[in-house]
Amino acid sequence: YPIYPEPAEYTRRLSLDWRVEAAQAVLKKVIKDYPVDQSKVAVMGISEGFQVGAKLAAKCKKITHCVLLVGNGLSQFYDFIIQNRTDAACGIIAEEEAQKNIDSLKLIFEDIYKNAAATDREWFGHTYLRWSSFCKNQPVEDIISLNIPVYLVAASKDRNTSVLSYDYIQIEALRKEKKNITFKVYPYDHSFSEWKKDAEGKSVFVSNHMNEVIDESLRWLGR
């Protein structure tokens, strides 16, 4: 698919609060300018949008349904820690390497929090502002605060947003006796692609199931 260069203004503004405010402004305008049925106003968020959608739904009372796919329940920084720990546990990397990586990550995270508003400093393709704004928030808190119907999707082979973080949301939902959340886990990666091992043990792409996952989400929404 085409990848377009990011405008400088987008890079300067990109943060969790800005994305939530932008989405809320669009939603407000649509409801005002078009004869929409306000009995069902849904927000869908995928990947980074998972966190945006969760916070938007917690903030905007006009939203009646929430569909969130392949996002993190805890801090996005935690996903990097989880991946190193699980890679070490699976023998992909040595325990010493995992610990060295995690120690290095913690120094980076500390620097990001110390320079939280910086847009002239970047890590892993995003500004410090973007990282600090998303990582000061725990999506699980927004999700658990909701009383509207929520549909959560995770992918068990996702290396971007660990299913372990998603599992934590389920534990919190049980602890808080939440009955409004539907959970669904697919055996795919972050893009809902299916992979298998060949005779040499290499991962080989089988097929992508994005449309199937979205269709199932919309069927849930249409009930």
Side-chain angles (χ1 to χ4, degrees):
Y1 53 87
I3 297 178
Y4 302 99
E6 296 176 359
E9 187 66 10
Y10 174 82
T11 301
R12 187 182 72 81
R13 290 178 179 267
L14 179 55
S15 65
L16 177 60
D17 290 339
W18 176 73
R19 285 208 57 190
V20 170
E21 289 168 6
Q24 188 168 15
V26 171
L27 179 60
K28 182 178 179 181
K29 182 171 178 59
V30 169
I31 291 175
K32 177 184 176 183
D33 294 353
Y34 298 92
V36 298
D37 179 3
Q38 295 188 45
S39 65
K40 181 172 282 189
V41 178
V43 59
M44 175 180 279
I46 302 177
S47 191
E48 181 180 286
F50 180 106
Q51 193 161 335
V52 177
K55 193 169 184 65
L56 176 63
K59 182 177 181 180
C60 181
K61 301 308 178 185
K62 290 187 177 295
I63 293 173
T64 64
H65 293 71
C66 191
V67 179
L68 304 174
L69 301 91
V70 287
N72 53 302
L74 301 171
S75 166
Q76 290 182 344
F77 284 157
Y78 191 45
D79 284 319
F80 292 92
I81 305 295
I82 289 175
Q83 198 56 63
N84 274 278
R85 293 296 188 201
T86 54
D87 280 354
C90 293
I92 297 173
I93 60 176
E95 291 284 352
E96 294 79 10
E97 182 180 355
Q99 189 60 56
K100 182 179 179 180
N101 292 342
I102 290 168
D103 291 343
S104 296
L105 284 167
K106 288 177 181 177
L107 292 176
I108 293 169
F109 300 159
E110 182 180 13
D111 191 47
I112 289 173
Y113 282 129
K114 284 181 179 178
N115 300 277
T119 58
D120 58 343
R121 302 177 70 170
E122 292 190 357
W123 176 72
F124 221 75
H126 291 297
T127 67
Y128 275 24
L129 171 63
R130 186 267 176 208
W131 282 114
S132 65
S133 67
F134 275 84
C135 292
K136 72 180 180 183
N137 192 64
Q138 298 276 47
V140 62
E141 296 174 2
D142 291 323
I143 293 168
I144 295 299
S145 75
L146 298 173
N147 293 313
I148 61 174
V150 179
Y151 185 77
L152 297 183
V153 173
S156 60
K157 293 180 172 60
D158 190 345
R159 289 181 63 86
N160 295 71
T161 53
S162 174
V163 69
L164 298 179
S165 184
Y166 166 94
D167 289 337
Y168 181 79
I169 302 176
Q170 295 192 64
I171 297 300
E172 278 297 279
L174 289 172
R175 186 173 75 89
K176 294 287 187 177
E177 300 183 341
K178 304 293 291 188
K179 306 297 185 183
N180 60 309
I181 306 175
T182 300
F183 296 91
K184 181 74 174 182
V185 179
Y186 292 92
Y188 308 134
D189 69 7
H190 190 66
S191 300
F192 300 113
S193 290
E194 180 181 358
W195 299 78
K196 68 176 182 179
K197 299 287 187 180
D198 64 13
E200 298 178 353
K202 295 180 180 179
S203 293
V204 179
F205 173 78
V206 176
S207 57
N208 183 268
H209 298 268
M210 173 70 79
N211 289 342
E212 298 166 35
V213 173
I214 297 298
D215 286 347
E216 182 60 31
S217 301
L218 295 177
R219 279 192 289 272
W220 172 87
L221 188 60
R223 293 169 188 164

